[in-house]
Amino acid sequence: MSLDLIKEIFSALPDCKEWHAHLLSFTHSKRNGTTYNCRRIELEPSERLNVLIQDISSGYTNEGKNKLDNYVDVREYDGTCNSTTVYRIRDNNPDIEIDLDALLQEIANSDSEADPFSIKARAYMLCGNMRRNDEDHQIKLISMNTPITRLKNRFWHNKGKFWKIPDKVLNLRTSMNVIIYDRTVYFMDMSGETLFNMERAYKHKCNEAVDEITGLSIISDPEMFRNTATSGQNPRRFAAFSKSKLQLLTKKKNREKAAKYFKIPLTKNKQFDTSQKVDAENLVKVLCGKAMWDVLEEVPVEVDGSKDWVR
């Protein structure tokens, strides 16, 4: 998918209706998962929220240089960290699980009475809706910068002098890190991973995949493979783990082909020899779309990620 929808969303912001602003706090724990806490806020004068929306829209859509010029494509979330890519997680993604319902439910129940300084906000969010193709769509923009702060070396003027600003202030930035369009999540950068505890998500997928791989008779040293696959940067790579590639490698002729192209040794029984960490890691790269064959120079190459070829 191109960036057209992202551009359309930012262009339509000033025309969206019923904007609401929220402070957002969240915590992650092994026992309780992710817990969200929302506090609705109001700005005065009342039209100031619309000014903020316009500033955000302009920053991403102005003619000439704008923030969207930094991006070249939209890609399904695969654990890579390309600064020119917008990463998407669809609601029906079978590979990566995020607790979107918990966030949406907390937004719906957002409190407007609690002390805004007590929730220890880690982000702020703008919620509205847009009309597209004769249908209404929910829009949520999230800035992952801490919105409540103290201004250091900032002073206000009174009676001919400049005075220190002692109180905490609300600082709403115009750079957005996450967009939620209905139930599809877009990461504009990797700071959005923190919102949904993506580290837990891809580690969970990694462990499931490793269990499946070691359960097959295709590797010689399951313990070395597991230790390698679940350490360092490898769990992140498993965000793009391909079950179809794994199924292909259950056939001896495909293992022989992969061994030839990617220099992964085979045992006499035609298993991948994973007794060495480097060979175990190379197999991880093959299974997670990080290993490709350069057809011109006829050499294996490690890649950031892959997507469908566009003719």
Side-chain angles (χ1 to χ4, degrees):
M1 173 187 169
S2 71
L3 289 166
D4 290 345
L5 176 59
I6 304 296
K7 294 177 180 178
E8 191 173 341
I9 290 172
F10 280 110
S11 296
L13 293 184
D15 298 322
C16 295
K17 306 300 181 183
E18 299 180 359
W19 282 106
H20 300 296
H22 304 259
L23 299 178
L24 177 62
S25 175
F26 52 91
T27 57
H28 306 303
S29 71
K30 291 183 178 180
R31 175 178 294 182
N32 300 319
T34 301
T35 302
Y36 298 101
N37 187 11
C38 277
R39 204 283 191 186
R40 184 169 168 177
I41 55 175
E42 296 183 8
L43 304 182
E44 293 293 346
S46 57
E47 64 271 13
R48 191 60 187 84
L49 182 58
N50 291 330
V51 174
L52 175 64
I53 297 296
Q54 180 64 62
D55 288 344
I56 294 171
S57 176
S58 298
Y60 284 91
T61 61
N62 269 347
E63 293 185 7
K65 185 66 176 176
N66 62 65
K67 294 173 185 176
L68 284 183
D69 289 339
N70 297 323
Y71 301 97
V72 298
D73 65 349
V74 174
R75 184 187 303 177
E76 298 300 327
Y77 180 85
D78 60 2
T80 57
C81 304
N82 193 326
S83 62
T84 62
T85 294
V86 176
Y87 291 96
R88 174 178 56 203
I89 302 179
R90 301 176 190 266
D91 184 36
N92 58 355
N93 188 315
D95 298 320
I96 293 293
E97 295 182 6
I98 60 173
D99 198 352
L100 180 59
D101 285 328
L103 175 59
L104 298 181
Q105 185 62 45
E106 184 58 30
I107 295 170
N109 297 332
S110 186
D111 184 17
S112 59
E113 301 295 332
D115 179 1
F117 300 112
S118 68
I119 72 168
K120 298 181 180 179
R122 301 174 63 181
Y124 90 90
M125 174 169 41
L126 298 168
C127 302
N129 60 76
M130 66 178 285
R131 190 78 175 168
R132 183 173 184 263
N133 297 332
D134 296 323
E135 294 182 349
D136 289 324
H137 297 275
Q138 298 298 312
I139 303 295
K140 295 170 182 63
L141 306 175
I142 302 175
S143 172
M144 297 297 294
N145 294 290
T146 303
I148 302 294
T149 186
R150 292 186 184 275
L151 297 179
K152 294 183 178 180
N153 299 321
R154 301 291 190 274
F155 305 87
W156 64 282
H157 182 260
N158 184 39
K159 298 179 179 179
K161 295 182 179 181
F162 290 91
W163 302 78
K164 176 183 176 180
I165 301 174
D167 298 326
K168 292 181 180 179
V169 299
L170 179 65
N171 181 27
L172 302 182
R173 303 193 183 189
T174 57
S175 292
M176 298 293 112
N177 309 104
V178 180
I179 302 171
I180 304 177
Y181 178 75
D182 290 333
R183 295 183 60 87
T184 300
V185 176
Y186 296 90
F187 290 153
M188 305 299 288
D189 57 45
M190 292 300 99
S191 65
E193 289 186 324
T194 308
L195 181 65
F196 293 107
N197 198 10
M198 297 307 298
E199 181 178 6
R200 179 181 181 276
Y202 58 67
K203 282 187 175 180
H204 177 72
K205 184 178 180 182
C206 172
N207 288 325
E208 285 189 337
V210 170
D211 287 342
E212 186 173 359
I213 295 164
T214 56
L216 301 173
S217 299
I218 66 171
I219 58 176
S220 67
D221 192 331
E223 184 177 357
M224 173 59 79
F225 181 81
R226 181 179 294 277
N227 290 339
T228 302
T230 57
S231 62
Q233 290 296 312
N234 286 321
R236 173 180 282 277
R237 288 177 171 140
F238 274 89
F241 168 69
S242 172
K243 287 191 175 184
S244 62
K245 284 187 175 66
L246 178 60
Q247 288 304 310
L248 287 171
L249 291 179
T250 59
K251 297 181 179 180
K252 183 176 71 172
K253 65 177 183 179
N254 290 331
R255 292 199 296 276
E256 291 174 336
K257 185 185 298 185
K260 174 185 176 182
Y261 284 115
F262 298 110
K263 313 301 182 187
I264 305 173
L266 293 176
T267 65
K268 292 180 180 180
N269 296 328
K270 301 302 180 181
Q271 294 177 312
F272 288 114
D273 185 348
T274 54
S275 60
Q276 299 298 314
K277 181 177 180 179
V278 62
D279 298 318
E281 188 157 272
N282 284 340
L283 181 56
V284 168
K285 294 174 184 177
V286 170
L287 289 168
C288 298
K290 303 301 186 289
M292 296 293 165
W293 181 255
D294 187 323
V295 297
L296 296 179
E297 298 187 357
E298 296 188 340
V299 293
V301 293
E302 182 176 347
V303 295
D304 174 42
S306 63
K307 59 181 180 178
D308 292 338
W309 184 266
V310 180
R311 296 180 61 182

